[in-house]
Amino acid sequence: MAGRSRTRRRSADYAWLITGPLALLAVACAVAFWRDDETWYKAWPAGLLILAVYVVAQLVTFNIVIRRGAFEVTVTEVPLILALYYLPPVMTVVVVTGGVLLLQLWTRLPPVKMWFNVAKSAASICVSLLVVASFPPLDDAGPSTWGVLFAAVAVNLFVQQVCLAGVISVVQSGRAALDLFRASYSNQIISGVNVAVGLLFLIALEENKWSVLLLGILVIALILVLRSFAGFFRQHRTLADVYELTQAVRNESSDSALPDVLLDRVRALMRSEFATLWLAPQERYPEVLLTAQVDNKGLLDVSPMPASIRDHTVREQRPIAVGAQFPETELLRDSLRTARVKDVLLVPLRSGQTTIGTLEVINRVGDARTFRDSDVQVLETIAAHVAVAVENSRLVDRLRHDAYHDRLTGMPNRRRIIDALAESTTVRAEGEVVAVMLFDVDGQRNVNESMGHAAGDKLLAEVAARLRGIAGSGALVGRIGGDEFVVTLRAESIEATIEIATRMRERLRGPMAVGSLTLDVDTAVGVSVYPDHGSDPETLLQRAELAANAAKALPYGVQPFHPALESRAVRRLGIAADLRRALDNDQLEVYFQPKVTLADRHVVGVECLARWVHPAHGEVAPEDFVAVAEHTGQLPRLTEVVLSAGLRRCREWADADRPLSVAVNLSARTLLDSRFPDLVEELLAEHGVGPGQLTFEISEPGMLNDIERVLPTLYRLRDLGVRLSVDDFGTGASSLAYLRQWPVHEVKIDDSFVQGMATDSGDLAIVRAVIGLSREFGLTVVAEGVESELTLGLLEEMGCEIGQGYLFSRPLPYERLEAWLSAQTEPESTPTGEVRRLRAVI
């Protein structure tokens, strides 16, 4: 890729340091040979014939594959043997130098390479002629002549190898020169065989000049046979290379590492100067453009391929070949000339009907001067495997991404958050903590139920975007549950974390548009930090969630974890099974707290309250086992137990001529059960209690969260004749105007206001307003939490009708309530019957 290390190369112009001395040596030797034989030009007919043979021998090459080795066979040594034997030295230099020059012009090599090859050939033939001149004249084709010619050709080959090694060491490195020598053994063997063939030709010509005709036929036949075998071996080698390349591509599962495996192999297989892989930008994948070049170990991030030809390939969605062998693309060759490119092949990489990129090779090098149709087929085969490899790697990447990210928001999911926390907690920095802040979105369920899940998803996406925007650059933001988001970061301390959480919560609270509505969405934030609250990710997340649940009951909405939260949650979990057994075995007890009229101190009813003494844990707080009942589906059974006990006692009091009404607390979840009114009707009939003697108290905050869904049940209960009371009034977010819409008969002021009204003017004002407006709506007002004579006097003065609290009595079991009624009350006759009146309030 861009920026990868490359082998340091000098400019090719440094080759003149070798070319110059070689040229001087060749010129000096040629001049010396000229002086010895000034009539050398008279041998021009033989020189012209051998020149033609020499040029043909250079053009005709055979590539033969033996096992895993590839060999390039040329027969230039045959005409060289004939030239050394038959031609004068100067004519030999002219033939060899001229033949090489013609070949270099034919292949259109750059001037530096062309003149180096010419100078190298001229110098090497001059050295060979010096070897021949050092022996007696060659008069016959006997064994002594064989030895001289063999030595001359061997020296010629050696000088050429030394020249090549010299120029490579100057331009590249000495190590590359050594590699050249190591790879030259096969060429030396082939040259030895060619020398033997050349000597056979020489012997035949010396015996009979007419043998040239037979030799010509033999040469043509050998050329045809060798070309056939060379084509077969080349095809076999190409198939083997394609197989190896496709195996390497298949084994590479990474999109980023694919070019390293692919491009150098493609360039070598296609014998091109450049091989390029271009991948179009797609979704979260950026554009890729990487190129392998001859003699360059790194990959370039540029390509000489004209962009217009690449665009044409993508548009046509088919392979495009531009060059001398492809007349159908003649119009595109102007683009190649502008880019100084000889020929190109481009094959689109397709995924279904979509082109995701191209595989390109540029400038054919080697024995063939240009690309052919067979090369297009080979590149198409490779491109098909490359396209599959790219799609597979992206599929694996998408699966890996989906496994660690939330599909709706694109944020990291619980698994990714846990992994990130695991990495963070392995490094503990002095003066820093790893903070976990869990944001629980309030009201998302209501949006789902009222506007549909699409609107709920849009709300979550908006929360995610806003949370990502307000989190710092060093924070990791993720979604770990339906409406739960987590932010993890490093902070100075837990106090700093709470400050950050508070600030983020305030910024998150702004109005959010969901469809045509604008909603004010609130969140509860739980905070845990490493190492204070846990040493592993699961524990940190669990404790942050416990803190978030506790934060829902706080006005400021941010709660750090403390051990009491966990012990309470663990305790609740532990009593779930015990609660079921307690309900089945009638181990729960119902207590009764009297309700007294403030004007005349009549005991008019009781509130039924469930109490549970656990055999191991002792007395369990009602909020704990009620919460367990809600989460484990046992709440209907618990409600039925309390309601049945209350109605049974109500019947007993009526039978004893001491009528008392009963009040039972209901959860909003119970009111969501459409079968509940039928159960109430059955129990009233079973115990023979009039519906007017039963009051259901429903918590205001719970009713507000599901008001639209619980209203049908409330109306059915009202139609039965059951009285309905709004419990904990004032603690929710309602206004008093709602009292006109709800089918209720009674308002029960929360004890937090009643207990503070004697000392807090604000609480006093709230109680006064609730009593005044409730009386305007014709509703009975009950004050709970009456604990002092002063509070009782204030309530009586304001016109509150009924009171309930420790001033009168604590909640009592049935037997103690009976004793309290006997000790603290006395019968009094009224127009509606006998009631119990308090003797005194102690």
Side-chain angles (χ1 to χ4, degrees):
M1 295 184 179
R4 298 183 186 185
S5 59
R6 305 178 184 176
T7 303
R8 291 189 176 182
R9 295 169 52 91
R10 294 180 179 178
S11 170
D13 291 339
Y14 278 87
W16 288 105
L17 296 175
I18 305 296
T19 303
L22 292 178
L24 291 176
L25 174 62
V27 170
C29 291
V31 170
F33 292 142
W34 193 332
R35 289 181 178 178
D36 289 343
D37 184 9
E38 297 183 356
T39 61
W40 61 271
Y41 57 87
K42 293 181 179 180
W44 68 268
L48 188 61
L49 179 60
I50 293 178
L51 174 63
V53 175
Y54 188 75
V55 170
V56 171
Q58 289 186 101
L59 291 175
V60 178
T61 59
F62 307 99
N63 293 302
I64 299 177
V65 179
I66 301 178
R67 292 184 180 178
R68 300 193 60 83
F71 303 94
E72 186 177 81
V73 178
T74 61
V75 292
T76 53
E77 289 82 3
V78 174
L80 186 60
I81 290 288
L82 299 178
L84 290 173
Y85 185 81
Y86 286 112
L87 298 180
V90 179
M91 181 59 72
T92 302
V93 174
V94 171
V95 167
V96 172
T97 306
V100 173
L101 180 60
L102 289 174
L103 182 65
Q104 303 304 302
L105 293 173
W106 176 261
T107 54
R108 298 179 182 177
L109 287 179
V112 174
K113 290 185 178 181
M114 181 182 73
W115 290 115
F116 167 75
N117 289 331
V118 171
K120 176 193 67 174
S121 299
S124 61
I125 193 61
C126 286
V127 174
S128 296
L129 289 169
L130 290 175
V131 171
V132 173
S134 64
F135 291 95
L138 304 178
D139 295 330
D140 57 24
S144 59
T145 300
W146 301 351
V148 172
L149 292 178
F150 188 88
V153 174
V155 170
N156 181 281
L157 179 63
F158 177 75
V159 171
Q160 291 200 35
Q161 292 292 331
V162 170
C163 294
L164 280 173
V167 76
I168 289 175
S169 63
V170 169
V171 175
Q172 296 186 15
S173 66
R175 184 172 183 177
L178 292 176
D179 293 339
L180 174 68
F181 273 117
R182 295 190 187 100
S184 64
Y185 298 134
S186 59
N187 292 334
Q188 294 173 8
I189 295 174
I190 294 172
S191 296
V193 174
N194 289 340
V195 170
V197 173
L199 291 174
L200 289 175
F201 276 48
L202 176 61
I203 293 170
L205 290 173
E206 284 296 301
E207 289 295 327
N208 189 336
K209 301 298 182 184
W210 290 102
S211 63
V212 69
L213 297 177
L214 297 177
L215 292 174
I217 295 173
L218 179 61
V219 168
I220 293 173
L222 287 175
I223 290 174
L224 293 176
V225 171
L226 286 175
R227 276 193 176 276
S228 177
F229 275 102
F232 171 78
F233 285 130
R234 184 166 54 248
Q235 185 179 18
H236 179 272
R237 180 61 180 174
T238 299
L239 291 175
D241 289 343
V242 169
Y243 175 77
E244 291 179 0
L245 190 151
T246 54
Q247 287 295 106
V249 168
R250 184 183 303 170
N251 294 334
E252 184 52 59
S253 59
S254 172
D255 205 7
S256 59
L258 180 63
D260 294 311
V261 174
L262 172 72
L263 291 177
D264 276 324
R265 295 170 183 258
V266 171
R267 187 202 54 73
L269 176 62
M270 301 302 297
R271 294 189 290 281
S272 60
E273 185 179 359
F274 300 94
T276 297
L277 175 67
W278 174 74
L279 298 176
Q282 185 181 22
E283 297 178 355
R284 60 189 182 86
Y285 299 105
E287 181 181 21
V288 174
L289 178 64
L290 293 171
T291 301
Q293 183 183 11
V294 173
D295 299 332
N296 197 326
K297 293 184 178 180
L299 296 182
L300 311 176
D301 55 3
V302 294
S303 172
M305 176 67 68
S308 58
I309 297 181
R310 182 180 296 127
D311 294 341
H312 182 77
T313 304
V314 174
R315 188 167 54 253
E316 294 292 326
Q317 293 191 343
R318 62 181 180 85
I320 298 294
V322 185
Q325 295 292 321
F326 308 102
E328 66 274 10
T329 55
E330 181 66 29
L331 296 177
L332 298 176
R333 296 192 67 182
D334 290 339
S335 300
L336 296 189
R337 296 187 189 99
T338 304
R340 297 182 180 180
V341 172
K342 181 179 64 172
D343 53 357
V344 298
L345 295 182
L346 299 90
V347 178
L349 306 177
R350 285 189 286 265
S351 174
Q353 300 299 317
T354 304
T355 298
I356 61 174
T358 57
L359 183 61
E360 309 162 1
V361 290
I362 305 165
N363 289 347
R364 182 65 176 264
V365 296
D367 57 314
R369 296 184 62 250
T370 185
F371 294 113
R372 303 177 186 276
D373 289 332
S374 58
D375 297 315
V376 178
Q377 297 173 1
V378 172
L379 194 61
E380 277 190 286
T381 302
I382 299 171
H385 287 275
V386 172
V388 171
V390 170
E391 278 300 286
N392 287 344
S393 67
R394 290 185 173 180
L395 176 60
V396 171
D397 182 65
R398 282 195 293 270
L399 291 175
R400 186 180 295 113
H401 181 273
D402 291 345
Y404 286 96
H405 290 79
D406 173 54
R407 185 176 296 274
L408 174 64
T409 62
M411 283 182 163
N413 60 11
R414 176 181 286 271
R415 180 183 298 179
R416 178 69 186 92
I417 292 292
I418 288 175
D419 289 349
L421 280 174
E423 295 174 6
S424 299
T425 54
T426 57
V427 179
R428 182 173 180 180
E430 200 66 35
E432 280 188 348
V433 296
V434 178
V436 178
M437 295 175 285
L438 190 144
F439 290 77
D440 192 319
V441 180
D442 185 25
Q444 194 263 342
R445 188 182 70 174
N446 294 335
V447 174
N448 282 343
E449 294 172 351
S450 59
M451 302 176 63
H453 284 275
D457 290 345
K458 187 174 181 181
L459 172 65
L460 291 176
E462 177 67 21
V463 171
R466 186 172 295 185
L467 195 59
R468 190 186 289 114
I470 64 179
S473 57
L476 177 64
V477 185
R479 180 186 177 209
I480 64 168
D483 56 0
E484 293 179 338
F485 295 85
V486 165
V487 178
T488 69
L489 48 79
R490 288 189 176 272
E492 296 178 359
S493 62
I494 186 172
E495 291 77 16
T497 303
I498 295 173
E499 183 180 346
I500 294 171
T502 303
R503 188 166 60 250
M504 291 180 65
R505 178 178 178 270
E506 289 301 318
R507 295 180 62 185
L508 194 62
R509 290 181 67 184
M512 297 184 184
V514 178
S516 59
L517 299 179
T518 300
L519 305 177
D520 287 324
V521 179
D522 202 359
T523 56
V525 187
V527 175
S528 65
V529 298
Y530 167 84
D532 298 357
H533 299 150
S535 58
D536 62 275
E538 291 285 1
T539 301
L540 290 171
L541 282 178
Q542 176 198 1
R543 292 177 173 176
E545 192 165 3
L546 285 174
N549 290 333
K552 295 177 181 179
L554 301 177
Y556 45 86
V558 178
Q559 172 67 57
F561 172 79
H562 57 80
L565 295 176
E566 187 171 43
S567 60
R568 185 173 184 181
V570 171
R571 186 183 181 191
R572 284 183 176 181
L573 183 63
I575 65 176
D578 297 334
L579 177 61
R580 188 181 304 277
R581 284 192 294 270
L583 289 172
D584 293 339
N585 299 327
D586 294 328
Q587 294 176 356
L588 264 70
E589 191 171 359
V590 177
Y591 279 39
F592 305 92
Q593 187 174 26
K595 301 169 74 173
V596 180
T597 59
L598 303 186
D600 47 21
R601 304 299 195 269
H602 288 167
V603 179
V604 292
V606 292
E607 181 179 359
C608 303
L609 301 168
R611 294 294 184 264
W612 181 27
V613 179
H614 191 277
H617 299 293
E619 187 173 345
V620 182
E623 59 267 25
D624 285 343
F625 68 77
V626 169
V628 170
E630 282 189 325
H631 285 88
T632 58
Q634 301 179 68
L635 186 61
R637 176 71 176 134
L638 176 61
T639 303
E640 183 178 353
V641 167
V642 175
L643 179 58
S644 296
L647 293 177
R648 185 172 68 253
R649 299 305 180 187
C650 183
R651 180 69 263 169
E652 292 175 1
W653 290 322
D655 291 342
D657 292 328
R658 293 183 299 166
L660 292 175
S661 65
V662 292
V664 176
N665 289 296
L666 285 188
S667 167
R669 184 172 301 219
T670 302
L671 293 173
L672 294 176
D673 185 358
S674 60
R675 297 168 298 178
F676 181 69
D678 297 330
L679 174 65
V680 173
E681 188 174 12
E682 291 175 6
L683 292 176
L684 288 172
E686 178 183 341
H687 294 92
V689 176
Q693 293 295 99
L694 174 62
T695 301
F696 284 124
E697 298 181 0
I698 305 105
S699 173
E700 179 203 14
M703 189 161 55
L704 282 173
N705 290 336
D706 292 287
I707 186 62
E708 297 296 332
R709 300 171 64 194
V710 303
L711 275 177
T713 303
L714 291 177
Y715 280 114
R716 288 183 62 192
L717 292 173
R718 185 197 64 177
D719 293 341
L720 284 177
V722 173
R723 291 176 57 81
L724 300 175
S725 174
V726 181
D727 197 7
D728 302 326
F729 191 83
T731 59
S734 66
S735 70
L736 294 176
Y738 282 133
L739 295 178
R740 293 186 302 174
Q741 304 172 15
W742 297 340
V744 295
H745 308 84
E746 179 180 289
V747 171
K748 197 171 186 180
I749 307 173
D750 187 68
D751 58 358
S752 62
F753 301 112
V754 174
Q755 292 173 1
M757 61 184 290
T759 56
D760 189 308
S761 58
D763 289 345
L764 181 63
I766 292 174
V767 173
R768 191 186 305 276
V770 172
I771 293 173
L773 288 176
S774 297
R775 294 182 65 181
E776 289 292 330
F777 295 148
L779 302 177
T780 303
V781 180
V782 179
E784 61 178 345
V786 181
E787 297 183 358
S788 69
E789 288 282 358
L790 178 58
T791 302
L792 178 62
L794 291 172
L795 290 171
E796 188 176 0
E797 179 185 343
M798 294 178 190
C800 180
E801 298 160 277
I802 300 174
Q804 176 183 345
Y806 287 1
L807 180 65
F808 306 120
S809 173
R810 294 174 177 271
L812 301 171
Y814 175 73
E815 292 78 9
R816 290 181 59 188
L817 176 66
E818 287 294 306
W820 179 86
L821 288 172
S822 298
Q824 301 296 331
T825 66
E826 58 186 7
E828 180 178 312
S829 298
T830 66
T832 58
E834 185 180 287
V835 297
R836 306 297 296 187
R837 183 179 186 279
L838 284 178
R839 291 193 176 94
V841 177
I842 301 174

